[in-house]
Amino acid sequence: MTPSASTELPVSLQDTPASMPQVVDHVAVARLYGEPLFSMPSDLYIPPDALEVFLEAFEGPLDFLLYLIRKQNFNILDIPMAGVTRQYLAYVDEIRQRNLELAAEYLLMAAMLIEIKSRMLLPPKKVAEGEEAEDPRAELVRRLLEYEQMKLASMQLNVVPQYGRDFLQAQVYIEQSLQPRFPDVSMDELQTAWRDILKRANLVQHHKISREELSVREHMTIVLKHLQGRKFVEFEHLFDPTLGTPVLVVTFIALLELAKETLIEITQAEAFAPIYVRLAYTPS
């Protein structure tokens, strides 16, 4: 329910809608869901703390105590306990009337301040010669300095840009081709596969001595014809061990020439997997 900021003039009984109260001697004090309200409800309940305004917010007793010391430019190493305790107790009495659970934590610090003040009024304990008497405020000063250090560190961290608050991670989606990309075949793996073919060729070789001229270009054509119409052909299936070692050597040289001229692709799905050969794919 919000008080109206505008002033309405009295209206006559003839112009007043049937749904509005028949009141003409004063203006509406508020509006409820757009309808004028000419008097405050008798059963309206406003919580005591509904209109409270907190000018300073503290995160705990140490935070408030540090605020009192810094606001009045007190030396934190030489705290005037009487003045600080008096101001602290006044604040505790104020919050005790509104929030008893919150005041309990502050009351513990108030008791500590009173204890320190009472210890300062007593004669100091005797200490050995050359040693300084213990200051009752030492432990409180240590806690205040540590708290102030952590508070300043948190403020510095808060200034640093944070993910989700100050910036977001940029994400770029790139549509990739469904064409699989196989890893390149190393020279060592190609040599190992070639040695295996030679070993099997030696097992089935014929002891027939003949002289024939072999053409690398001719075998390049044979390999290309063998690959036509097929997606992949195993590297070993391109060699016929029954034709003898010279043919195997020329076929292998033909494969190297085709790979050099990028007419074929030699691929392997993963390390130590079978090697496959296929015709080079040229995008249109």
Side-chain angles (χ1 to χ4, degrees):
M1 185 181 302
T2 307
S4 174
S6 61
T7 304
E8 298 181 358
L9 298 176
V11 295
S12 62
L13 293 177
Q14 296 178 355
D15 299 333
T16 304
S19 60
M20 295 179 62
Q22 302 297 324
V23 178
V24 296
D25 54 347
H26 62 280
V27 296
V29 295
R31 286 185 176 273
L32 179 61
Y33 300 112
E35 297 294 333
L37 196 66
F38 293 93
S39 61
M40 297 297 291
S42 59
D43 58 347
L44 178 63
Y45 172 73
I46 301 178
D49 56 349
L51 300 178
E52 288 184 351
V53 178
F54 293 90
L55 299 180
E56 297 289 347
F58 306 104
E59 297 180 359
L62 278 177
D63 194 25
F64 176 62
L65 188 59
L66 185 64
Y67 167 78
L68 291 177
I69 295 172
R70 293 306 187 193
K71 184 179 180 181
Q72 301 181 72
N73 295 324
F74 290 150
N75 184 2
I76 197 170
L77 300 178
D78 188 17
I79 304 174
M81 297 304 301
V84 172
T85 304
R86 191 181 307 109
Q87 297 178 37
Y88 190 91
L89 290 176
Y91 179 77
V92 172
D93 290 339
E94 183 70 21
I95 64 174
R96 216 163 80 181
Q97 300 176 6
R98 293 170 170 79
N99 193 334
L100 187 60
E101 295 180 0
L102 180 63
E105 188 177 2
Y106 287 82
L107 285 172
L108 180 61
M109 177 60 71
M112 181 183 299
L113 294 176
I114 296 174
E115 179 190 4
I116 293 174
K117 180 58 182 176
S118 61
R119 288 172 57 189
M120 293 179 65
L121 295 175
L122 297 174
K125 295 182 180 180
K126 294 182 179 180
V127 294
E129 185 178 355
E131 296 182 1
E132 295 183 0
E134 181 183 0
D135 191 342
R137 302 169 293 182
E139 178 62 20
L140 178 62
V141 170
R142 183 190 64 81
R143 291 178 58 184
L144 285 172
L145 290 175
E146 289 181 355
Y147 177 79
E148 186 177 31
Q149 183 180 7
M150 296 303 296
K151 185 176 181 179
L152 292 175
S154 65
M155 293 173 63
Q156 293 175 359
L157 287 176
N158 190 52
V159 175
V160 177
Q162 297 182 14
Y163 174 73
R165 185 192 69 178
D166 303 310
F167 66 92
L168 296 175
Q169 182 179 3
Q171 296 182 353
V172 179
Y173 296 94
I174 302 176
E175 184 177 355
Q176 297 182 350
S177 174
L178 298 178
Q179 187 72 18
R181 179 177 176 83
F182 298 102
D184 297 332
V185 180
S186 66
M187 185 58 66
D188 294 337
E189 294 173 342
L190 203 59
Q191 291 178 355
T192 303
W194 167 242
R195 282 196 295 267
D196 292 340
I197 293 173
L198 288 180
K199 288 180 182 179
R200 285 195 294 271
N202 291 331
L203 295 177
V204 295
Q205 66 181 349
H206 300 284
H207 298 282
K208 181 180 179 180
I209 300 175
S210 61
R211 180 183 180 89
E212 62 178 330
E213 295 181 0
L214 301 175
S215 173
V216 175
R217 286 292 175 183
E218 182 181 354
H219 281 77
M220 290 171 63
T221 305
I222 294 173
V223 171
L224 291 176
K225 289 182 179 180
H226 192 63
L227 294 176
Q228 285 181 354
R230 301 184 182 182
K231 292 184 177 179
F232 295 93
V233 176
E234 283 195 36
F235 180 78
E236 300 175 358
H237 293 169
L238 295 174
F239 300 87
D240 188 358
T242 61
L243 299 179
T245 302
V247 177
L248 296 178
V249 173
V250 174
T251 305
F252 182 71
I253 295 175
L255 279 172
L256 295 179
E257 286 293 329
L258 290 172
K260 180 181 177 181
E261 296 177 9
T262 65
L263 296 175
I264 63 172
E265 291 181 358
I266 304 175
T267 60
Q268 187 179 35
E270 58 184 3
F272 307 108
I275 298 175
Y276 293 90
V277 182
R278 66 174 181 178
L279 291 176
Y281 172 74
T282 304
S284 57

